[in-house]
Amino acid sequence: LVWSGEIISSFFFQAEDGIRDLVRSRGLGDVYKRQMAVGAVRDFVLGARLLDGKGDLLNFGGQVMKNVAGYDVSRLLAGSLGCLGVLVEVSLKVLPKPLEEATLHFELSEAEAFGRFDRWAGQALPVSASAWSEGALRLRLSGAGPAVAAAGRTLGGEALEEGAATAFWAGLRDQAAPFFATGSAALIRLALPAGTPTVALPGSHLVEWGGAQRWCWAEPDRLPALRALAVAHGGHATLFRAPPGRAGDDVFTPLTAPLLRIHRALKRQFDPAGAFNRGRMYAEV
């Protein structure tokens, strides 16, 4: 998704492999890092055409806003990892490129950073991204020039040079930052509700989205305990990257019985023969 300097409410894409893979895996470029401010990838999907397991071409949604009556299948396809069918076309909403951006640097402990998150959440600030790790918090402001400048004066901190800020956020987006360097442990991603306080995570960890997304490196044997911790706070934990030579662990938090029934019913409806990525998300689906 290319950020445009113009305001475009909707734009139709003939899905090539890049766009299709981004939607089904929930990547969608820079939107992923801006999710705390602009919403998830599914919020950008207006419509889709799907080739299902019976060979039928199905159309869902459309090319304009407020176009869905009933079950919103087009958004269901975002993050489905190709388990329900082949995405043939996708209609996406795009956003205007922010007129100004600035990144602020703060030296804070994790507890202090979470205190700031709670305080800032109640203020009208143009925050588009945040990241804390190893005692340093980076906060990105995006929007009109006067709003960004006023927020910078209110928040304080040290302003990063534009090139350094761009490189930092690109490193997070592409997982090229030093934190994501391949190690012998498992990379685990915890998704927690906004406002969840600090939780005990093993080793070095990274906190994004004002605390709603947290990354840590841990031995695979710690995964069940971390999943239980996430579920206890109303979230879930994903095995994002397994260590070399390790296979067989569930990637996603196991579903509850009611949710598993829904997943199975959807799979049977769209792909009754199990032709598409069976077991890709859950062994039972």
Side-chain angles (χ1 to χ4, degrees), residues 69-87:
Y71 198 79
D72 194 348
V73 176
S74 56
R75 293 190 180 191
L76 171 71
L77 299 176
S80 64
L81 298 179
C83 292
L84 301 179
V86 177
L87 278 172

Side-chain angles (χ1 to χ4, degrees), residues 181-233:
T182 302
S184 59
L187 178 61
I188 299 170
R189 172 185 178 267
L190 289 85
L192 301 172
T196 302
T198 58
V199 296
L201 296 177
S204 175
H205 53 280
L206 171 69
V207 178
E208 296 186 90
W209 300 353
Q213 176 167 267
R214 310 182 196 190
W215 302 87
C216 69
W217 290 94
E219 293 302 319
D221 294 342
R222 297 288 303 275
L223 182 57
L226 289 170
R227 283 189 165 147
L229 176 67
V231 170
H233 285 87

Side-chain angles (χ1 to χ4, degrees), residues 26-285:
R26 297 188 302 176
L28 210 57
D30 197 43
V31 171
Y32 178 67
K33 286 301 165 194
R34 297 177 187 267
Q35 180 164 325
M36 64 177 290
V38 301
V41 170
R42 64 177 178 271
D43 299 318
F44 288 78
V45 178
L46 301 177
R49 177 176 290 184
L50 180 77
L51 177 66
D52 71 3
K54 294 173 282 188
D56 296 327
L57 275 175
L58 309 177
N59 292 292
F60 303 104
Q63 300 177 31
V64 297
M65 300 295 291
K66 297 182 179 179
N67 53 26
V68 176
Y71 198 79
D72 194 348
V73 176
S74 56
R75 293 190 180 191
L76 171 71
L77 299 176
S80 64
L81 298 179
C83 292
L84 301 179
V86 177
L87 278 172
V88 179
E89 295 176 354
V90 184
S91 179
L92 298 174
K93 176 183 72 173
V94 297
L95 297 178
K97 181 179 179 180
L99 296 176
E100 296 286 343
E101 288 196 322
T103 296
L104 305 177
H105 174 94
F106 303 84
E107 295 291 335
L108 298 171
S109 68
E110 185 176 12
E112 290 172 330
F114 273 78
R116 300 286 183 97
F117 292 153
D118 291 340
R119 187 161 69 249
W120 292 337
Q123 302 179 39
L125 297 169
V127 176
S128 62
S130 67
W132 177 92
S133 183
E134 301 293 341
L137 170 65
R138 306 282 177 86
L139 195 72
R140 185 173 64 190
L141 307 174
S142 304
V148 170
R153 291 191 297 269
T154 299
L155 296 171
E158 176 189 353
L160 291 187
E161 186 271 330
E162 182 179 356
T166 299
F168 174 78
W169 296 113
L172 283 186
R173 181 194 63 208
D174 302 333
Q175 293 200 349
F179 175 84
F180 292 104
T182 302
S184 59
L187 178 61
I188 299 170
R189 172 185 178 267
L190 289 85
L192 301 172
T196 302
T198 58
V199 296
L201 296 177
S204 175
H205 53 280
L206 171 69
V207 178
E208 296 186 90
W209 300 353
Q213 176 167 267
R214 310 182 196 190
W215 302 87
C216 69
W217 290 94
E219 293 302 319
D221 294 342
R222 297 288 303 275
L223 182 57
L226 289 170
R227 283 189 165 147
L229 176 67
V231 170
H233 285 87
H236 57 86
T238 301
L239 176 58
F240 204 85
R241 189 187 306 165
R246 177 90 179 207
D249 294 300
D250 290 333
V251 173
F252 301 101
T253 297
L255 296 171
T256 61
L259 286 178
L260 182 58
R261 285 197 297 271
I262 294 173
H263 275 247
R264 284 173 169 167
L266 286 169
K267 181 68 172 177
R268 286 195 300 268
Q269 184 66 36
F270 286 97
D271 184 23
F276 296 119
N277 284 355
R278 183 170 181 82
R280 174 65 178 83
M281 297 183 72
Y282 301 99
E284 305 91 339
V285 180

